[in-house]
Amino acid sequence: MIGSYVAVGDSFTEGVGDLGPDGAFVGWADRFAVLLADRVPEGDFRYNNLAVRGKLLDQIIEDQVPRALELAPDLMSFCAGGNDIIRPGTDPDEVAERFERAVVRLTSAVGTVMVTTGFDTRDVPVLRHLRGKIATYNGHVRAIADRYGCPVLDLWSLRTVQDRRAWDDDRLHLSPEGHTRVALRAGQVLGLEVPADPEQPWPPLPPRGTFEVRRDNIHWAREYLVPWIGRRLRGESSGDHVSAKGALSPDDIKMRIASVA
């Protein structure tokens, strides 16, 4: 039985792409918290989401990990390093060394630390050329998990998120359905009975012509790629002025999910 859960990380764990009715993001971690809360007596579950978009591994370790350790949860999800890996010139071996030092610190104080791998980016524009680098980092994450007994939320193997409907319009963050499938997979990782299969096939889509694909790519580049590159050149982060969601009530999360379902 898990009575408390803390999520730390970047935009993936904050829930970017899964917009709630109040303008705040929901995301897989919030949805996963609901699955956990449904298995304990009402009012006996505590959940905190400390993730902030755009954060690098060292920022997560400095800003979020101490707070997570103070909360001393039964379960913590630790998803970090992705933003480091996609930056030019970073070494996945070196990033993994810093990741492991954090895992050592966390596993000595937290009941269970669940780590996550990166997605397979073979069909993601701009990021597909980083596929080998991401795979190398994933290999380190799995090895670290083996050494310290951490369950692994393996996103690389989640085949259904290869469908474009699993992704937001920016093609960098999951859609609400994508976040839902990750939450379900997280439940499976911990041996929970989940209400649906995250690998359930998507309904067929009509084929798209060359003109439609080109039009979508141009729109995406103008609306998302150019601003993303601009922030990198200016040394800015999407999370520079964003605060973590903090403590959240599972009942409130349920209401927000239901309102956009």
Side-chain angles (χ1 to χ4, degrees):
M1 184 175 293
I2 297 171
S4 55
Y5 167 44
V6 173
V8 304
D10 51 31
S11 59
F12 167 63
T13 301
E14 184 187 349
V16 174
D18 186 6
L19 197 63
D22 55 357
F25 294 110
V26 184
W28 76 269
D30 293 8
R31 293 172 181 271
F32 175 50
V34 170
L35 294 178
L36 295 171
D38 284 344
R39 286 157 175 79
V40 299
E42 186 174 356
D44 288 352
F45 185 78
R46 294 181 292 109
Y47 169 55
N48 281 262
N49 189 322
L50 307 180
V52 176
R53 69 198 78 167
K55 296 303 180 182
L56 300 171
L57 173 59
D58 287 346
Q59 293 172 318
I60 293 170
I61 293 172
E62 180 179 353
D63 299 335
Q64 300 176 31
V65 165
R67 176 58 178 150
L69 292 173
E70 288 176 5
L71 293 168
D74 297 330
L75 172 68
M76 174 180 171
S77 59
F78 182 47
C79 179
N83 286 325
D84 298 73
I85 295 301
I86 65 175
R87 292 203 167 198
T90 53
D91 179 358
D93 299 334
E94 188 276 330
V95 176
E97 290 177 1
R98 289 186 278 125
F99 182 89
E100 181 166 8
R101 288 196 292 269
V103 169
V104 171
R105 182 180 174 190
L106 291 168
T107 52
S108 66
V110 176
T112 299
V113 179
M114 180 171 65
V115 298
T116 65
T117 69
F119 293 100
D120 186 349
T121 59
R122 60 185 171 184
D123 296 321
V124 182
V126 180
L127 298 183
R128 63 166 61 96
H129 73 285
L130 297 174
R131 191 181 185 216
K133 194 176 177 182
I134 295 169
T136 299
Y137 187 62
N138 284 352
H140 282 301
V141 169
R142 294 188 188 97
I144 292 166
D146 286 344
R147 285 195 286 273
Y148 301 100
C150 301
V152 180
L153 176 54
D154 187 359
L155 305 175
W156 186 281
S157 68
L158 187 57
R159 296 185 302 273
T160 50
V161 296
Q162 297 299 324
D163 190 286
R164 59 187 174 89
R165 287 167 287 185
W167 295 88
D168 187 39
D169 290 341
D170 67 4
R171 305 184 185 180
L172 293 173
H173 300 100
L174 294 174
S175 66
E177 180 63 24
H179 277 285
T180 298
R181 288 175 184 255
V182 170
L184 293 170
R185 172 55 62 86
Q188 289 179 334
V189 168
L190 293 187
L192 306 180
E193 291 187 12
V194 295
D197 181 4
E199 291 284 21
Q200 180 178 345
W202 296 82
L205 276 176
R208 295 195 301 161
T210 303
F211 172 79
E212 188 177 6
V213 172
R214 184 180 297 116
R215 181 197 63 195
D216 290 347
N217 287 340
I218 292 172
H219 172 77
W220 168 77
R222 182 177 63 247
E223 296 295 324
Y224 300 104
L225 179 60
V226 172
W228 183 74
I229 293 174
R231 287 197 301 272
R232 292 294 176 271
L233 293 175
R234 294 189 298 271
E236 298 175 355
S237 168
S238 57
D240 283 345
H241 305 290
V242 177
S243 299
K245 290 185 279 190
L248 297 172
S249 161
D251 288 337
D252 290 343
I253 297 171
K254 287 181 183 179
M255 292 178 59
R256 296 174 68 218
I257 294 172
S259 67
V260 296

